Amino acid sequence: MPLRRSADFHLASGISSLVSLPLKPPERRPTPAGKQAQPDKPKRREGVFFGTLEGGLGAVLPVDEQVFQRLSSLQLVLVNALPHAAALNPRSHRRVKRRNMADVTTLVPRRNMLDGTLIWRFASLDARDQHLLATAIGTTAEKVLESLGAIDASAQVFGALSD
């Protein structure tokens, strides 16, 4: 099966190596009282971990649709709400740069990626700012932190390697 382009993301560095590793399956949430638990088999999930030419490390991880929507909204709010290092806007920094005018693959960039560097700054904000930003996207700070925790838990690969 051929690979399909599903997202564009500028790293500002060349990637020197990639490795795909299985991720731990997501933890099952307890079912509400009176409902039958679904005996579904967890899907095999993989994450791509990479190293850059400058020595940086990164990961591309799958997230659930609901988590993606919540954190994507948060990302849009954080771009405008937080001061950025050297006044560099993360949205324009992460936008894919066209090599030349004939490069048609980047005419319509796909924005299906979350910027973890930006989103994880939410966890370091004080409770008041977290509440204000979460309210701006129509959720609670607890749900946003729970979503961040779910991504952190899904990035664990060593438990999945022993299975």
Side-chain angles (χ1 to χ4, degrees), residues 31-43:
T31 58
K35 291 194 175 183
Q36 294 289 334
Q38 297 293 331
D40 57 336
K41 182 180 176 183
K43 293 180 183 178

Side-chain angles (χ1 to χ4, degrees), residues 16-46:
S16 62
S17 62
L18 290 166
V19 63
S20 178
L21 294 173
L23 301 173
K24 284 177 65 173
E27 294 182 13
R28 292 186 178 207
R29 294 183 179 163
T31 58
K35 291 194 175 183
Q36 294 289 334
Q38 297 293 331
D40 57 336
K41 182 180 176 183
K43 293 180 183 178
R44 179 184 162 128
R45 296 164 38 122
E46 293 197 5

Side-chain angles (χ1 to χ4, degrees), residues 78-133:
L78 287 174
V79 165
N80 297 321
L82 297 179
H84 305 294
L88 296 174
N89 187 323
R91 188 182 310 163
S92 61
H93 174 69
R94 297 294 185 204
R95 185 175 301 130
V96 173
K97 311 316 188 248
R98 288 177 60 181
R99 294 187 184 135
N100 57 40
M101 294 307 286
D103 188 6
V104 295
T105 61
T106 57
L107 282 177
V108 181
R110 298 179 186 234
R111 296 182 181 99
N112 295 338
M113 296 283 274
L114 296 172
D115 186 350
T117 305
L118 177 63
I119 292 173
W120 274 98
R121 289 179 63 189
F122 181 85
S124 65
L125 298 173
D126 61 31
R128 182 180 145 272
D129 289 340
Q130 285 181 353
H131 174 73
L132 290 172
L133 291 170

Side-chain angles (χ1 to χ4, degrees), residues 69-70 73-74 77 130-141 143-144:
Q69 293 299 328
R70 181 179 299 129
S73 298
L74 177 67
V77 171
Q130 285 181 353
H131 174 73
L132 290 172
L133 291 170
T135 303
I137 62 170
T139 188
T140 63
K143 284 188 179 181
V144 172

